[in-house]
Amino acid sequence: MRDDFGRKIDYMRISITDRCNLRCRYCMPDGVKCVPMADILTLEEYVRIAACGALLGIRKIKVTGGEPLVRLGCSKLVGMLKETPGIEKVTITTNGILLERYLGELVEAGIDGINISLDTLDPALYSALTGGGSLQSVLKALECALKVCERKAIPVKINAVSLDLEDVGAQLDCGYNGPGWQEMLWIARKYPVDVRFIEMMPVGFGKQYRSLNHEKLLHQLQAMYPDLEKDKEIHGNGPAVYYRIPGFGGSVGFISAIHGKFCAGCNRVRLTAQGYMKSCLCYEDGEDLRQILRGNGTVEEKDEMLFAAMERAIKGKPMAHCFEHPEMMTEYDNMVSIGG
Ligand code: SAM
Ligand code: SF4
């Protein structure tokens, strides 16, 4: 369906847990509290919401978190979502730590795409930034995913938050002396994998980190690779702008929420692990779907209420975020609780 500004909303990001096996400094540093498991939706509740979303025109779902692979039954949920009438694509975003273990199950369940989040190729900085994560495990998972997914034509992408790695390295006291964001290009050069840089948004602990400006990044990339070309191929349904570099296996993408404000073309809504439907990361407004699912009423009555609430959330999607004026934001939660 279309929202009040005429945008077609066909994509829902569903967070299936607020737990994580990493502690990324900008998302879930040590000390962030998790909600009781009883407050988190069951797999069946997510599917019921997805089915209702499908009636409203949702076609693609991204399973996220927290770390979705720490939720027992994640692959089962992928399979259940894939079987939901109207849902055409189900993809996942993961930190990759458990990916090797669950890859077979995910592929079996019909996963349509895997995004791996990775911000640096420096093992010490990766560990410092993620609260002890092993870069080696993620790179191994990437290689495994590529082998399995290539056979099935399932796209694998890397998402890197655009951080000033030198700055962060100094802040975390881990002696980083690598080349900075450019190090991530190695992946797109070596593998048929798109590497997408994502501007840090001032959400939760992200406020404490400065994002690199993507306009500057693109100029630097053009200076490094003068034969860089805009990639016209469609790579997914998100707002990334892609470039091809001759000789590279994958493209380089920029998701520029701040410096390339793409709200006019935004096609997404979000569901938190507790079943709160949000239509913009920037504002707290939304609809409590869990209250409807677990409240009084017959199945038919609840389905009707669910439909009406989701319709309200979609129609009322704000025109644009206000990340450039963080004082106007009304969302104070952390990314890990909202679902990134
Ligand atoms: N744990 C999974 C992962 O890391 O991919 C899924 C959840 S995580 C919140 C989803 C994505 O959000 C990650 O790529 C992460 O780097 C990104 N992220 C977290 N906080 C952010 C922020 N303030 N601005 C931009 N991206 C952020
Ligand atoms: Fe966990 Fe992903 Fe947040 Fe890192 S970005 S703390 S991996 S949820």
Side-chain angles (χ1 to χ4, degrees), residues 20 22-24 27-28 66-67 95 336:
C20 188
L22 293 182
R23 287 290 177 274
C24 300
C27 179
M28 188 193 195
E67 172 49 40
N95 59 33
V336 73

Side-chain angles (χ1 to χ4, degrees), residues 46-290:
Y46 289 118
V47 173
R48 198 156 161 204
I49 290 172
C52 187
L55 297 177
L56 286 160
I58 298 296
R59 296 286 169 264
K60 296 149 210 155
I61 289 180
K62 171 83 74 198
V63 174
T64 180
E67 172 49 40
L69 293 178
V70 302
R71 173 89 194 247
L72 284 179
C74 175
S75 313
K76 183 175 167 202
L77 176 65
V78 168
M80 289 158 81
L81 292 170
K82 283 286 291 183
E83 280 169 15
T84 303
I87 299 300
E88 293 165 3
K89 281 207 157 108
V90 180
T91 57
I92 191 167
T93 179
T94 169
N95 59 33
I97 298 289
L98 294 173
L99 183 59
E100 202 183 345
R101 188 189 306 172
Y102 290 112
L103 190 58
E105 284 182 17
L106 287 171
V107 171
E108 183 92 349
I111 198 80
D112 293 297
I114 299 177
N115 290 359
I116 302 175
S117 301
L118 181 60
D119 303 331
T120 173
L121 293 177
D122 183 278
L125 180 57
Y126 181 79
S127 174
L129 189 59
T130 59
S134 150
L135 176 66
Q136 209 194 350
S137 313
V138 183
L139 292 178
K140 194 154 168 261
L142 170 66
E143 294 222 339
C144 287
L146 280 173
K147 268 190 213 131
V148 176
C149 294
E150 214 173 4
R151 285 201 299 274
K152 306 254 178 188
I154 301 169
V156 178
K157 296 176 187 164
I158 294 286
N159 288 339
V161 176
S162 304
L163 291 163
D164 183 334
L165 298 182
E166 218 175 301
D167 220 38
V168 176
Q171 216 174 314
L172 302 180
D173 204 16
C174 67
Y176 175 79
N177 60 1
W181 65 273
Q182 292 93 333
E183 67 180 27
M184 297 305 296
L185 299 174
W186 170 81
I187 295 183
R189 183 184 299 134
K190 180 165 183 203
Y191 303 111
V193 171
D194 294 340
V195 172
R196 293 126 46 98
F197 293 96
I198 303 181
E199 279 184 344
M200 175 71 79
M201 292 176 280
V203 176
F205 295 94
K207 288 193 182 85
Q208 298 168 11
Y209 290 83
R210 207 158 27 92
S211 180
L212 294 176
N213 177 337
H214 279 183
E215 280 170 22
K216 287 192 186 148
L217 242 61
L218 180 58
H219 284 136
Q220 288 170 6
L221 194 67
Q222 276 162 334
M224 286 164 71
Y225 301 100
D227 41 5
L228 174 91
E229 274 180 4
K230 199 143 182 193
D231 188 349
K232 300 208 176 72
E233 203 183 303
I234 295 179
H235 289 242
N237 54 76
V241 180
Y242 288 96
Y243 294 86
R244 282 215 64 81
I245 301 172
F248 274 47
S251 293
V252 179
F254 293 98
I255 301 179
S256 315
I258 318 281
H259 294 92
K261 204 166 177 174
F262 43 70
C263 301
C266 187
N267 62 346
R268 64 194 55 191
V269 287
R270 292 164 191 273
L271 185 72
T272 71
Q274 294 117 287
Y276 188 75
M277 188 173 171
K278 279 176 64 66
S279 47
C280 183
L281 260 181
C282 199
Y283 311 101
E284 63 169 2
D285 308 58
E287 295 283 339
D288 187 350
L289 305 185
R290 185 185 65 192

